[in-house]
Amino acid sequence: MDVDTRLLRYFVAVAEDGSLTHAAQRLFVSQPALTKQIKQLETQLGVLLFTRSRTGMALTEAGRALAERVPALLADWERTLRETKAAASRAQRVLRVGFVASGANEATPGIVAEFARRRPGWRAEMRQAAWSNPSAGLADAEVDVALVRLPFPGQDAVHLVPLLTEPRWVALADAHPLASREVIPFRELWDEPFVAAPAETGGWRDHWLATDEREGRPVRVGAVTDQPDDWLSAIANGYGIALAPESASRFYARPGVTYRPVTGVSPSRVAVAWAPADDTNAVVQDFVRCCRDGLGQARGSGDDCSGW
């Protein structure tokens, strides 16, 4: 019998939380979708895993037996998958580097060049991830190391080195009434419709909607997008506005979209991230050092890194 590992992960979350509601929040999925997945697993196994009541989800005898074994099984599978993909990369002398949006901004080419200097014969293969994958492929072992924006779901399970911060600006249509302003207080944007990332990105979506910096004011979502081109089109067409790193005004400039500084909202943070299993991986750690040294040299030269 073949069982999707995703169903087993959902089962573990419900077993640990004892609640569909809490587990759904933790997994960044809707409660109806999670209920459907648990029922699918029970149907495949032919056993009842939970008894449901007003107080929550209680494991049956069969459920307890499964819950005792599944975490170790999933951990072993993740380790096997990561080691298999890493072995293939080593054989090709390729370091898979995931990144979201512009990575480390203007510092990225210098980091890649320094890695090539330190590791002759190796190549850093840059892989841009969609916004529905804010770990940039690290969570699924699709990459060896990643340049990420914090926070993102699952970041507690990886190791991080912060690299830089930069202000969050706002992107809006040229025709928007506020587009002529030099600086816009975030409070004046609270009632505007926003272009949002997909709901399953959880804390990543909340950060770019600044949900915790609205004094309880609910967010209006005008559109949901997963790729930069779609995001820019939604803004230019007036479906909503969006918070963005200041560097987006350089990397994602396009006709119809204006970027303006915003006050009253915290900055964005960029970090380099890797799996704990790669703490002793010399190639991964060389790339991490390239990131740290590259940003450190720029700061030491007197360049302004706040917008990098």
Side-chain angles (χ1 to χ4, degrees):
M1 176 188 299
D2 295 326
V3 176
D4 190 338
T5 56
R6 178 172 52 89
L7 298 181
L8 295 178
R9 294 180 196 283
Y10 287 177
F11 164 76
V12 170
V14 178
E16 290 177 347
D17 291 341
S19 164
L20 282 167
T21 301
H22 294 160
Q25 292 171 349
R26 170 178 161 187
L27 294 165
F28 307 111
V29 299
S30 68
Q31 184 172 325
L34 180 57
T35 300
K36 182 179 179 180
Q37 300 302 320
I38 294 299
K39 288 182 178 178
Q40 181 179 337
L41 179 61
E42 290 178 325
T43 299
Q44 287 187 11
L45 297 179
V47 298
L48 187 66
L49 298 172
F50 296 98
T51 56
R52 299 156 175 81
S53 69
R54 290 183 178 180
T55 58
M57 303 282 284
L59 287 165
T60 62
E61 191 68 27
R64 282 191 292 273
L66 187 63
E68 289 175 0
R69 292 164 176 78
V70 167
L73 184 151
L74 290 174
D76 188 56
W77 170 245
E78 287 180 359
R79 184 166 53 253
T80 300
L81 182 63
R82 191 173 296 278
E83 290 174 357
T84 300
K85 293 185 176 183
S89 294
R90 287 194 299 271
Q92 298 171 355
R93 298 174 74 81
V94 170
L95 181 73
R96 302 165 301 160
V97 182
F99 69 99
V100 178
S102 54
N105 300 346
E106 285 88 347
T108 303
I111 291 169
V112 172
E114 176 61 16
F115 175 76
R117 188 192 69 79
R118 293 192 188 195
R119 285 277 169 177
W122 279 76
R123 176 171 59 89
E125 182 180 275
M126 305 300 292
R127 300 184 177 186
Q128 186 172 17
W131 290 337
S132 58
N133 185 6
S135 77
L138 194 62
D140 301 320
E142 295 297 330
V143 299
D144 305 299
V145 64
L147 295 167
V148 295
R149 294 267 174 180
L150 306 179
F152 65 87
Q155 72 180 54
D156 292 341
V158 302
H159 288 172
L160 298 163
V161 171
L163 298 177
L164 59 96
T165 62
E166 61 176 314
R168 280 188 285 178
W169 284 21
V170 64
L172 29 69
D174 287 349
H176 193 284
L178 296 175
S180 60
R181 299 271 291 276
E182 291 298 320
V183 179
I184 304 172
F186 183 52
R187 181 182 294 272
E188 294 188 28
L189 302 174
W190 285 355
D191 294 329
E192 294 285 335
F194 272 66
V195 179
E200 60 266 25
T201 59
W204 163 271
R205 171 185 167 115
D206 291 344
H207 175 73
W208 290 106
L209 295 174
T211 56
D212 59 349
E213 300 180 64
R214 294 171 173 266
E215 297 182 8
R217 187 72 61 90
V219 178
R220 292 179 59 202
V221 175
V224 175
T225 62
D226 189 30
Q227 299 287 346
D229 285 346
D230 295 337
W231 178 79
L232 287 166
S233 294
I235 294 168
N237 290 327
Y239 294 128
I241 65 173
L243 293 176
E246 180 270 337
S247 57
S249 64
R250 302 187 298 276
F251 287 94
Y252 295 102
R254 64 155 282 180
V257 176
T258 294
Y259 294 89
R260 289 289 181 261
V262 175
T263 60
V265 67
S266 61
S268 171
R269 296 176 293 152
V270 174
V272 58
W274 67 96
D278 285 326
D279 282 349
T280 57
N281 184 319
V283 179
V284 168
Q285 294 307 312
D286 266 353
F287 186 85
V288 172
R289 280 188 285 272
C290 288
C291 292
R292 299 178 70 172
D293 294 350
L295 271 298
Q297 289 173 5
R299 293 188 184 97
S301 70
D303 292 341
D304 179 8
C305 297
S306 63
W308 278 29

